[in-house]
Amino acid sequence: SEAGETAKTFLSKNEKLKQDIGEVKDFGSFVTGNVNIQNNNGNATINIKVYGERKTVNASVDLVYRSGQPWRVVAASYQNEAGETVQLLDPYQTRNRLLKIAA
């Protein structure tokens, strides 16, 4: 799906994720989550395994689209080795993205 491809592209390019796991080499073939679309608006949560040069982690990406615009990442995180959730987007960036989408 477009939401899944957008999530993979975001994770591949995310510097914070690459600092921890190394360059992204591949993604798990089993993707879970949900996509909800009503009229021209949609929300999605994509859960996917990310294989890096040094580590493999489970990531979650939240996306939205409004009025037929492309999917946009509004939140993303992964579980590190200690079981902690590591946020991949600055909360202020997320707020600004949501404001732009709503406009």
Side-chain angles (χ1 to χ4, degrees):
S1 75
E2 286 182 42
E5 288 305 313
T6 301
K8 287 179 181 180
T9 299
F10 171 83
L11 293 168
S12 294
K13 294 179 178 180
N14 186 272
E15 290 301 321
K16 192 170 187 179
L17 180 62
K18 288 196 272 187
Q19 286 175 359
D20 191 20
I21 71 169
E23 287 293 324
V24 174
K25 294 298 183 187
D26 202 2
F27 295 94
S29 56
F30 190 67
V31 178
T32 63
N34 59 62
V35 177
N36 298 309
I37 298 173
Q38 288 187 320
N39 301 322
N40 287 331
N41 300 319
N43 297 305
T45 299
I46 306 294
N47 303 304
I48 190 165
K49 189 171 288 228
V50 183
Y51 296 95
E53 285 178 316
R54 296 185 301 272
K55 298 178 192 172
T56 299
V57 297
N58 293 312
S60 179
V61 181
D62 294 331
L63 306 102
V64 299
Y65 86 88
R66 299 288 181 258
S67 302
Q69 296 295 314
W71 286 98
R72 293 186 187 195
V73 175
V74 293
S77 63
Y78 71 95
Q79 295 289 121
N80 68 13
E81 291 174 324
E84 300 164 331
T85 300
V86 178
Q87 297 299 323
L88 295 174
L89 271 180
D90 180 307
Y92 294 107
Q93 287 179 330
T94 300
R95 182 176 178 277
N96 289 339
R97 284 179 186 215
L98 287 174
L99 291 174
K100 287 179 186 175
I101 292 168

